[in-house]
Amino acid sequence: MKDYIALAAKGDHEWWRYLVGAFLIFIIWQAGTIPFIGVVSYKLAMEGRDLSSLSNYETLMGTLDSNLTFFLMLLSFAIGFLGIWLIVKFFHNQKFKDVLTTRVKFDWKRVLLGFSIVGFFIAVMTIIDFVLNPDDFLWNLKWDQFLILAAIGIIMVPIQTTFEEIYFRGYLMQGLGIVFRNRWLPLIATSVGFGLLHLGNPEVTKLGYVIMISYIGTGFLLGVMALMDEGLELSIGFHAGNNLITALLVTADWTAFQTESILIYTAEPSIGFDVLIPVLIIYPIYLLIMAKVYNWKNWKSRLFGKVELL
């Protein structure tokens, strides 16, 4: 099987290109927040409110209709997706497919499997929690708002999650692997970096830094998927399933996505050993399922081996 990281050697892969490219992609991505900030600023101005409140997360989330807020938040990732395509194609002269997979064609069946595994688990666990603890939830289903949410989510959430997968498990993982000629350092760096990306999330403010175990652990899970499967299809599907099903099923006033979901979690959150259960138990089960389906072998060399350039 081809080495996914080594595919980057087919394009222009000097170390400085990845340094500059990663920075430019980030800037383009952040520029994508301008429409959101602009619309919120306009609304605040029309209401005669102080624009300095833009620095307040609750103001940003609560000024506009929740579906419009959801769309504008995700729009930045669509712009970031365009940015990463431009950088890969014109700055690195690399085929965009080569930042996605070693396979001849992008494997949509793998995407569906990754999506289904996590989507089914989240749906089942949410239903069980709702049945056992109904007082912790508010039934929020309003069909007119939910259908708009579903339309936005089905289109925009996969763009958001695919951008993040290509940026971290694709572009940065390939770049670090090419520069340092190994697979373990890109796995660690991109997983920790992915976790740190979520430091600004309201969940961290509410639950504390211990929640970073979950974010970084998820980064490792997605990174292992990419390296063992020599492509991003499984991680793209998994990430999309996690974010989309969660956004549709349940939200809370302290989560990054505050949507017109079916349920609103109203209980005061607490966190303890349960943050370790997904990372130490559920995630390994996911990997074992995928390893069985796709006959993964040579774990040591695929996760810790050297990168031999093409």
Side-chain angles (χ1 to χ4, degrees):
M1 180 178 285
K2 293 181 180 179
D3 186 328
Y4 169 64
I5 289 179
L7 286 180
K10 296 168 67 175
D12 297 329
H13 56 277
E14 297 88 349
W15 67 268
W16 61 267
R17 289 184 185 272
Y18 283 99
L19 185 64
V20 173
F23 175 75
L24 291 176
I25 293 167
F26 183 81
I27 294 300
I28 294 170
W29 171 22
Q30 295 309 301
T33 64
I34 293 174
F36 181 30
I37 296 174
V39 173
V40 173
S41 298
Y42 177 78
K43 182 74 178 297
L44 291 176
M46 289 297 97
E47 295 175 352
R49 297 164 64 185
D50 186 359
L51 294 184
S52 64
S53 60
L54 280 171
S55 60
N56 183 279
Y57 189 83
E58 292 182 358
T59 299
L60 281 174
M61 294 297 104
T63 299
L64 306 174
D65 170 82
S66 62
N67 280 331
L68 178 57
T69 297
F70 189 52
F71 172 78
L72 290 173
M73 284 180 66
L74 295 176
L75 182 62
S76 66
F77 295 92
I79 295 173
F81 190 98
L82 174 61
I84 205 168
W85 179 82
L86 291 171
I87 293 296
V88 168
K89 185 173 179 62
F90 297 106
F91 193 55
H92 290 274
N93 296 308
Q94 181 182 0
K95 290 183 179 179
F96 195 67
K97 183 197 76 69
D98 286 347
V99 83
L100 296 173
T101 184
T102 56
R103 284 163 275 279
V104 176
K105 293 183 179 180
F106 188 78
D107 190 344
W108 288 101
K109 291 182 180 179
R110 276 175 156 84
V111 176
L112 181 60
L113 177 68
F115 185 100
S116 300
I117 287 176
V118 68
F120 177 78
F121 178 79
I122 290 173
V124 169
M125 294 307 295
T126 301
I127 292 170
I128 292 174
D129 196 13
F130 178 66
V131 171
L132 295 179
N133 305 289
D135 292 340
D136 291 346
F137 296 89
L138 175 67
W139 185 262
N140 186 57
L141 180 59
K142 299 184 285 286
W143 279 107
D144 55 340
Q145 293 296 311
F146 178 77
L147 290 176
I148 295 172
L149 167 66
I152 295 171
I154 290 170
I155 295 171
M156 299 296 291
V157 168
I159 294 175
Q160 175 235 332
T161 54
T162 300
F163 164 75
E164 291 186 5
E165 287 310 300
I166 295 173
Y167 190 36
F168 284 95
R169 259 66 62 179
Y171 186 80
L172 291 176
M173 183 171 281
Q174 284 188 338
L176 289 169
I178 285 290
V179 172
F180 293 98
R181 304 293 175 87
N182 64 57
R183 297 163 75 88
W184 62 267
L185 190 147
L187 174 60
I188 294 173
T190 59
S191 300
V192 173
F194 177 78
L196 294 178
L197 175 70
H198 297 80
L199 265 176
N201 281 22
E203 293 94 334
V204 178
T205 302
K206 187 71 174 181
L207 300 172
Y209 290 112
V210 68
I211 193 65
M212 296 303 295
I213 295 173
S214 177
Y215 290 132
I216 294 174
T218 301
F220 273 103
L221 170 70
L222 297 169
V224 170
M225 286 182 191
L227 290 178
M228 289 302 303
D229 204 49
E230 302 291 0
L232 297 184
E233 292 98 333
L234 289 173
S235 64
I236 284 174
F238 185 97
H239 201 163
N242 180 80
N243 287 26
L244 178 59
I245 301 304
T246 300
L248 294 178
L249 284 184
V250 62
T251 190
D253 61 6
W254 44 268
T255 57
F257 287 159
Q258 296 176 24
T259 64
E260 294 292 340
S261 56
I262 296 174
L263 298 170
I264 297 177
Y265 185 75
T266 57
E268 187 65 23
S270 61
I271 197 163
F273 182 74
D274 54 325
V275 74
L276 297 175
I277 293 177
V279 175
L280 298 180
I281 299 176
I282 305 302
Y283 287 1
I285 292 174
Y286 288 152
L287 291 175
L288 288 174
I289 292 172
M290 294 177 185
K292 182 68 174 179
V293 172
Y294 296 110
N295 194 31
W296 289 348
K297 296 179 180 179
N298 304 319
W299 287 71
K300 184 177 179 179
S301 62
R302 290 193 183 186
L303 297 181
F304 304 104
K306 295 181 179 180
V307 174
E308 301 293 340
L309 298 190
L310 300 175

